[in-house]
Amino acid sequence: MGATRCLTVALLILACAPLAQAQLIIDDFSDAQNALSVVWPSTIDWSFQSATVLGDERDLEVEIFAALSVGSTTSAEVTGGNFVHSTNGTNVIARTSVIWDGVDTDGAVDDGDGLGGLDLTSYDRFRLSVVSGDQDWVFGIRVYSADNLYSGATVNVPASASPQTVDVLFNTFAEEADADGPAPFDNVGAIAFAIGFESATGANGSVVASEFVAVNGGPEIFSDGFETGNLDEWS
């Protein structure tokens, strides 16, 4: 009778054990953030606190580096469950950075300890769900472990009017040239991504994304386009 009772308890413990988390939602963009817009040449940033995002705060930084037409603009916003980066002008080179580094009320400075040592080793990649991108664009991610320990990776993404998924594998990240060392993925203090147009040849362009997560496994999409190194190379 005692043996039977022990077996029953053991089975119950196994049945109640939590399943491994399939993904970590960094931001599903469900909480809107008003548009930021700048005219060339300029930069603007804004922190937005929300319990729906990793670390309870989402920072946006919008930068425009070059343009051929006076009054060219670039903007970013979170609206209708989507993140939107857009430009308006001729040959605009611009970028929007989105930063998750805990609550610091600073949209521009990355707090390398802000997420408190997040362990991402249960996952092997970041994944951005893209609604559309009407020009070729560049997607970069930087991971911080301390204020000057960080690694980055970038990928060139082709234009598409249809939804697509962009995966950036952790093993494509490399220590950046100006860092004191690489960021270990078992002790992550901040995550940032950047979306922008490297050489927009048309008058206008936009990228719309619906979710940014860390996941484990899946198709290696755009793996041939990975370029390890400095997130700022294409600015």
Side-chain angles (χ1 to χ4, degrees), residues 31-162:
D31 210 344
Q33 187 167 355
N34 292 341
L36 295 179
S37 183
V38 294
V39 179
W40 170 64
S42 188
T43 299
I44 191 172
D45 59 75
W46 180 35
S47 290
F48 177 76
Q49 293 183 16
S50 168
T52 69
V53 306
L54 182 67
D56 295 329
E57 185 176 279
R58 175 202 301 134
D59 300 334
L60 290 183
E61 183 178 29
V62 181
E63 303 167 271
I64 185 167
F65 303 104
L68 292 184
S69 59
V70 176
S72 295
T73 63
T74 188
S75 64
E77 64 180 321
V78 177
T79 180
N82 291 321
F83 162 81
V84 182
H85 165 85
S86 60
T87 61
N88 188 341
T90 303
N91 287 18
V92 175
I93 300 178
R95 174 179 68 192
T96 295
S97 299
V98 189
I99 305 159
W100 298 268
D101 62 350
V103 178
D104 60 2
T105 66
D106 191 326
V109 177
D110 305 324
D111 182 354
D113 300 313
L115 296 179
L118 185 66
D119 187 351
L120 295 180
T121 56
S122 296
Y123 314 100
D124 70 351
R125 69 194 66 198
F126 293 110
R127 173 170 295 162
L128 184 71
S129 298
V130 180
V131 178
S132 63
D134 57 14
Q135 295 190 39
D136 293 351
W137 50 284
V138 180
F139 181 48
I141 303 178
R142 182 178 282 168
V143 173
Y144 299 79
S145 182
D147 287 338
N148 207 42
L149 295 177
Y150 51 93
S151 303
T154 62
V155 58
N156 298 313
V157 185
S160 176
S162 302

